Amino acid sequence: MKLAILQPVLIPDLHDLAIMFSVDQIVFQDSEQWSRKGRTHRAVIRSPEGTDYMSVPVMTADKKKQINQVRINHGREWITPLLRALKFNYSNSVYYDFYEPEIRADIETGHNFEYLLDFSLFLKKRLFQFLELEIPAEIHFSSGMGEYTSDPDKLADKLGADLYYQEHDARHYQRQGENRSKIDFTHPEYRQHFEGFQPNCCLYDLLFQYGPESFRIFDELV
């Protein structure tokens, strides 16, 4: 059995997908402590200079809480700047005008969410619908697992995993297991709307450029 031990992210990227496609079970560590260095509240987008972040502010009082207990800071205006960043960086993309109304509506519903995790799960669900993506792996959240332990090696052993993967480049905020495996991953290069190619952008980058043809890139991950 192959296992992925990941933290929830605001918007997944292709490296995340490659791991999800490669395993039988996924554990999302929503009961671990939130970290500003993680991707639970932010995602990488393409910019003229290279890359930038789109982000959702969190309540200062919640920054030492578990990920699933962190609330969105609605005392700050964040939706308009986030939408402005997407428009500035993606308005010239092939499919931006096609998807922009629905994505704008999805992000604007952020006003209705108290907890960051609930909002990120909603965005991921909607994005996967646009991309016609289904993850075949069995999905668990650590907060609902009686056998959960934050030690990745012990968790993998408890679940009977033959090997397990963790989130890429997460050593600063995710506990690293000694027995973790590294997925054989080469980031696919695809046409971006600025000169050159920047890897590890979130899936909005691919959606705005390729739209329904995104499956051609996903095929390279399997």
Side-chain angles (χ1 to χ4, degrees), residues 143-205:
S143 59
M145 299 174 62
E147 69 272 40
Y148 178 72
T149 170
S150 61
D151 184 319
D153 294 323
K154 291 181 179 179
L155 179 62
D157 185 60
K158 284 186 175 184
L159 296 178
D162 300 301
L163 62 83
Y164 71 91
Y165 305 116
Q166 292 187 269
E167 185 178 336
H168 65 98
D169 296 331
R171 63 188 182 278
H172 296 300
Y173 54 89
Q174 184 185 39
R175 180 176 177 177
Q176 301 292 287
E178 292 183 4
N179 299 324
R180 69 187 184 279
S181 297
K182 186 175 182 180
I183 192 169
D184 183 13
F185 176 76
T186 301
H187 200 296
E189 288 197 16
Y190 55 87
R191 179 190 67 253
Q192 291 179 327
H193 53 293
F194 295 120
E195 185 176 353
F197 178 77
Q198 292 288 336
N200 298 323
C201 291
C202 74
L203 290 177
Y204 280 156
D205 186 73

